[in-house]
Amino acid sequence: MNPPKPRTPRQAARTVVRDPLGAVFLLRYDNEEVGPHWAMPGGGLDPGESPREGARRELREETGWTDLEPGPLLCTWTHDFTRAGIPVRQHEHIYLADAPGPRRELGPDVAADHLADGILDVRWWTPRELRDTDEQIWPPRLHDLLDGWSPGDRPADLGHVPVRGRPDIAGRG
């Protein structure tokens, strides 16, 4: 059995966008190591960029929404996955943003970027759907973080959270 490859550290930021009824906007990916999963808009930080600046840039790039700003910090967490063939250990800052209206559509110019970034689908998830799904959501148990959050709360530090691996490659060395 081969020893695991060392993981490259990567800093990232994401934004949980909620509509007035509590539905959350997520993007669907299929990662080579962990398989299909849903995550909020976001990604790796550019050199010299703060987590909040990165969250704002990524939110605009992946949704086309220029009127939303990352608000309070909900949580931080670290997880492992493979990106472009490189095993990474990603530390994420996750911010909240409340959308002014229900379930808005994406901006007109994001489809090509989604294709290039491997984004397979987008959807709004109700609080109940988040709670009841068997699909992988990053971070795991996002619904618990949102259900228990109120303005003024300190951000949660989830630490290093293992995510489920692809079932078709589980157990391979």
Side-chain angles (χ1 to χ4, degrees):
M1 179 182 240
N2 296 331
K5 294 179 186 177
R7 299 219 174 243
T8 301
R10 182 173 192 244
Q11 296 292 315
R14 299 188 177 279
T15 305
V16 177
V17 178
R18 295 185 301 183
D19 79 0
L21 299 176
V24 173
F25 180 78
L26 297 177
L27 307 161
R28 186 173 189 269
Y29 298 87
D30 187 0
N31 179 266
E32 62 189 274
E33 180 179 358
V34 298
H37 64 281
W38 293 87
M40 62 279 312
L45 301 182
D46 288 341
E49 191 173 48
S50 73
R52 185 174 298 281
E53 290 167 341
R56 179 184 306 112
R57 176 184 50 76
E58 289 282 347
L59 179 61
R60 290 181 174 143
E61 287 175 3
E62 293 184 350
T63 66
W65 303 331
T66 59
D67 61 334
L68 296 181
E69 289 292 324
L73 183 63
L74 174 67
C75 69
T76 59
W77 76 305
T78 303
H79 59 99
D80 298 336
F81 69 104
T82 297
R83 182 179 182 278
I86 299 170
V88 298
R89 175 154 290 169
Q90 181 158 293
H91 180 74
E92 291 185 353
H93 288 74
I94 299 177
Y95 297 91
L96 288 171
D98 289 319
R103 299 188 183 215
R104 58 180 22 193
E105 297 294 321
L106 290 174
D109 300 325
V110 298
D113 289 338
H114 283 198
L115 187 60
D117 290 341
I119 297 171
L120 305 175
D121 198 5
V122 300
R123 76 173 263 212
W124 288 90
W125 292 71
T126 67
R128 181 179 190 97
E129 289 169 334
L130 276 177
R131 200 173 23 261
D132 293 344
T133 188
D134 290 331
E135 294 196 56
Q136 192 170 182
I137 307 287
W138 286 9
R141 306 196 54 82
L142 175 63
H143 64 279
D144 285 338
L145 288 169
L146 294 171
D147 285 349
W149 188 86
S150 60
D153 282 356
R154 293 177 55 112
D157 179 358
L158 306 180
H160 181 260
V161 180
V163 293
R164 296 189 310 239
R166 289 187 75 96
D168 54 332
I169 64 170
R172 291 188 192 169

